Amino acid sequence: MRKKTHFFGDARLLVPFRSLIWSMSTQLSVILRRLSKNHAQEKSFGSFINHPSVTPSRLIQQYWQDRNVSWSGKHLLLYQDSSVLSFKKTKQRTDLGYVGKGEVHGGFELHNSLLVDAQSRACYGIGGAQVHSNEFNSVEHNKQRKRSLRHVSFSQKETYRWYSTIDQSTTNCAGASRYTVIADQEADIYELFSLYKERQWDWLIRATDYRRVRHSNGSTMLLSQFLQEIPVSFSYQTQVSTSQNRTSHQALLRVKFSPITMIKSSKNPTKSLPDTLCMYVIDIREDDTSVLADETPIHWVLVSSHAVTTDQEAAQLIEWYCERWNIEQLYRTEKTQGLNIEQAQLETTHGLANLSVVSIMAAAQVMALVMAREPKQPIDAQIILNQQEIECSLWLNPTLEGKTDKQKNQHPPNSLAFVAWVVARLGGWSPHVNKPAGPITMIHGLVRFKAIVEGFALKNTTPNQQVMGLP
């Protein structure tokens, strides 16, 4: 049994922490007054979130300490990304970083990792998080800063967060059999690959165009040139959804893969780095025949430490990378269309940073339900819900089902997919719709579901008992 501890330096802070986590996951709001049952609790939440001993990293440490999950035998996918949070400036918010143009709004970047089970695709929550502010308010200042950082060690750069956040995550969720880091082009950093290899973490990163590799004949060339020499291994079709840059269509994708030897840049000042790193590359390119009008063809180049020697192995890694979209959905859930973190009323930057981490943890619970809609295998609902909530979903389910098979919940009882179906129905989703419920529908359904759970709990409780934070 792991020894229970706390990370805030004062055990009294555990009470408002646990109450705040529960209230936000119930109300899905960032307004402390709405989250509180009375004025005393509102003041308690405010004092907690602004306490100097409460930090983004400690909030997540304490969260996983309380959950006490066994990670033994699991392969965890760690999706990384950053999101800019913008807040209106006030007299008290003097230390907000620079975001966008003008001086009306300030903010910071929230960088975190989302933990997903490689086999079942269960979403466990946020593994690690960091907040970074930009102190420079012009393009020229940023250029000067970049030039000054060229000879600074990697651990002193902002890009080090692509390593340190994963270090947090693997510490908070220690004991898994394997960790795979998945990220976009911002994480295509040679130092990162070297550090990941030292820690025996796998990676799946979208590569940039300027990478140089060593050819089998000993010559060096750009990765893009190397890929032109590789034959297509297989092709497949996929439905592309409508986005800002693309029209919905059926895309024909051609896939190549090969082992590569990546070469350290001659401009890299870190002498301790290895001159080369061996890994695998996957090239995914849309065939010209399926490209619509003047749209740009889909083209991804992924590099990975995972062996890619068969079509099936390449397809698996492509599938994992495609699911990186879930972390984009996570930020959408936290921001305007979900918890609306940028409308938070706290006056201190320290408090806003802490609140943003608590809100992203609540948003991850919504994403756990969204990702459970079509699971690879049954996921136990207890990974994010308590027994009372599971029993309530069983009680509610018949009231939400129709007469036909299509209108019935086809998922195993006590599974997360079963609860997700119930929550989606409460949020207004219909089984006749040909696509599953999205994050916003899940938010509406989850707020209703949590309120029903409170009433469900009261039916077995005497008026003098305190149930789920209710007096």
Side-chain angles (χ1 to χ4, degrees):
M1 178 67 70
R2 186 167 58 174
K3 183 180 179 181
K4 288 288 182 181
T5 186
H6 61 86
F7 296 93
F8 301 130
D10 186 342
R12 292 173 296 181
L13 294 173
L14 292 176
V15 174
F17 165 73
R18 289 164 181 160
S19 296
L20 180 61
I21 291 290
W22 180 86
S23 293
M24 193 172 289
S25 67
T26 301
Q27 304 294 331
L28 294 174
S29 169
V30 295
I31 308 302
L32 297 187
R33 183 170 298 172
R34 294 178 188 169
L35 298 175
S36 309
K37 62 182 181 181
N38 52 42
H39 182 64
Q41 190 173 59
E42 181 186 355
K43 290 182 64 176
S44 175
F45 285 165
S47 297
F48 169 78
I49 211 73
N50 287 294
H51 197 284
S53 295
V54 177
T55 65
S57 61
R58 289 174 183 170
L59 284 164
I60 297 178
Q61 281 179 301
Q62 190 60 56
Y63 176 76
W64 288 112
Q65 178 68 49
D66 285 356
R67 287 188 64 178
N68 196 21
V69 177
S70 173
W71 303 105
S72 178
K74 297 184 183 300
H75 177 187
L76 294 180
L77 307 179
L78 292 83
Y79 290 92
Q80 275 198 98
D81 206 354
S82 297
S83 178
V84 175
L85 300 182
S86 174
F87 303 92
K88 189 173 181 179
K89 287 187 175 180
T90 65
K91 292 181 180 179
Q92 288 76 24
R93 296 175 177 175
T94 56
D95 53 346
L96 280 172
Y98 177 81
V99 293
K101 298 179 180 180
E103 300 294 333
V104 177
H105 289 81
F108 45 76
E109 280 189 273
L110 175 62
H111 186 88
N112 69 75
S113 66
L114 183 68
L115 303 179
V116 177
D117 190 288
Q119 280 72 45
S120 68
R121 300 300 201 279
C123 175
Y124 293 110
I126 304 300
Q130 295 184 18
V131 170
H132 294 266
S133 294
N134 184 0
E135 300 174 359
F136 298 91
N137 60 0
S138 73
V139 173
E140 183 56 34
H141 281 157
N142 278 299
K143 287 182 178 178
Q144 291 177 6
R145 183 167 176 272
K146 287 181 179 179
R147 286 194 291 268
S148 68
L149 288 174
R150 285 177 182 172
H151 302 289
V152 174
S153 66
F154 180 56
S155 62
Q156 301 302 312
K157 297 180 179 180
E158 281 189 10
T159 49
Y160 189 71
R161 59 186 165 182
W162 295 94
Y163 169 78
S164 55
T165 301
I166 300 301
D167 185 44
Q168 281 183 32
S169 302
T170 56
T171 300
N172 291 333
C173 307
S177 61
R178 197 169 192 176
Y179 300 95
T180 296
V181 184
I182 302 176
D184 210 343
Q185 288 179 324
E186 290 178 275
D188 180 12
I189 303 169
Y190 195 85
E191 289 92 337
L192 266 184
F193 299 146
S194 179
L195 286 170
Y196 289 167
K197 185 176 181 180
E198 285 180 16
R199 296 294 300 273
Q200 298 183 327
W201 302 333
D202 288 298
W203 65 85
L204 175 61
I205 308 293
R206 187 175 178 185
T208 49
D209 296 332
Y210 61 80
R211 282 292 170 206
R212 300 193 70 83
V213 297
R214 178 169 294 163
H215 196 276
S216 57
N217 62 16
S219 64
T220 64
M221 61 176 62
L222 290 173
L223 180 57
S224 57
Q225 296 173 322
F226 176 80
L227 290 171
Q228 292 176 6
E229 300 183 3
I230 303 173
V232 172
S233 297
F234 67 97
S235 302
Y236 71 100
Q237 289 188 320
T238 186
Q239 182 64 37
V240 178
S241 301
T242 301
S243 66
Q244 186 176 358
N245 300 317
R246 299 192 191 281
T247 307
S248 175
H249 69 285
Q250 192 79 8
L252 175 61
L253 302 179
R254 304 201 183 280
V255 181
K256 305 176 179 180
F257 56 85
S258 172
I260 58 169
T261 301
M262 186 179 288
I263 301 172
K264 183 180 76 171
S265 170
S266 59
K267 297 180 181 180
N268 195 312
T270 309
K271 295 181 179 180
S272 59
L273 288 173
D275 293 331
T276 61
L277 287 171
C278 294
M279 59 189 78
Y280 290 80
V281 64
I282 307 173
D283 180 81
I284 307 102
R285 187 185 295 269
E286 184 176 4
D287 191 87
D288 291 341
T289 60
S290 69
V291 180
L292 298 181
D294 298 325
E295 294 182 6
T296 304
I298 296 169
H299 185 212
W300 296 342
V301 178
L302 309 178
V303 293
S304 180
S305 57
H306 284 275
V308 188
T309 59
T310 67
D311 294 354
Q312 291 75 22
E313 289 172 340
Q316 176 65 88
L317 293 182
I318 294 170
E319 183 179 342
W320 285 349
Y321 184 79
C322 287
E323 292 178 6
R324 198 192 70 83
W325 168 248
N326 287 316
I327 200 167
E328 304 284 352
Q329 291 281 70
L330 175 72
Y331 286 126
R332 177 178 174 233
T333 304
E334 184 191 29
K335 296 170 83 171
T336 308
Q337 292 182 293
L339 281 82
N340 211 2
I341 180 62
E342 292 172 320
Q343 296 302 311
Q345 298 173 355
L346 293 179
E347 292 297 335
T348 69
T349 302
H350 178 77
L352 288 172
N354 288 331
L355 190 67
S356 70
V357 171
V358 178
S359 68
I360 202 74
M361 291 161 68
Q365 290 197 10
V366 176
M367 286 306 302
L369 291 170
V370 171
M371 294 169 66
R373 301 166 303 184
E374 298 173 342
K376 297 294 181 181
Q377 55 187 255
I379 303 167
D380 192 333
Q382 288 185 332
I383 70 165
I384 64 165
L385 300 171
N386 59 40
Q387 189 59 38
Q388 189 166 248
E389 291 167 329
I390 295 170
E391 290 176 4
C392 185
S393 71
L394 296 172
W395 174 74
L396 268 175
N397 186 69
T399 69
L400 300 170
E401 292 184 318
K403 295 180 179 180
T404 66
D405 288 343
K406 190 172 185 178
Q407 295 173 317
K408 294 187 181 299
N409 192 339
Q410 304 292 339
H411 302 289
N414 299 315
S415 70
L416 194 58
F418 183 93
V419 180
W421 190 93
V422 170
V423 172
R425 292 287 289 120
L426 290 172
W429 172 79
S430 169
H432 293 289
V433 177
N434 291 326
K435 62 179 183 179
I440 307 309
T441 299
M442 284 294 187
I443 286 177
H444 297 321
L446 197 55
V447 171
R448 285 192 65 194
F449 176 69
K450 295 283 188 174
I452 293 169
V453 169
E454 290 185 7
F456 182 77
L458 287 172
K459 73 183 181 69
N460 295 320
T461 308
T462 62
N464 292 327
Q465 288 180 297
Q466 185 173 347
V467 180
M468 299 183 68
L470 294 175

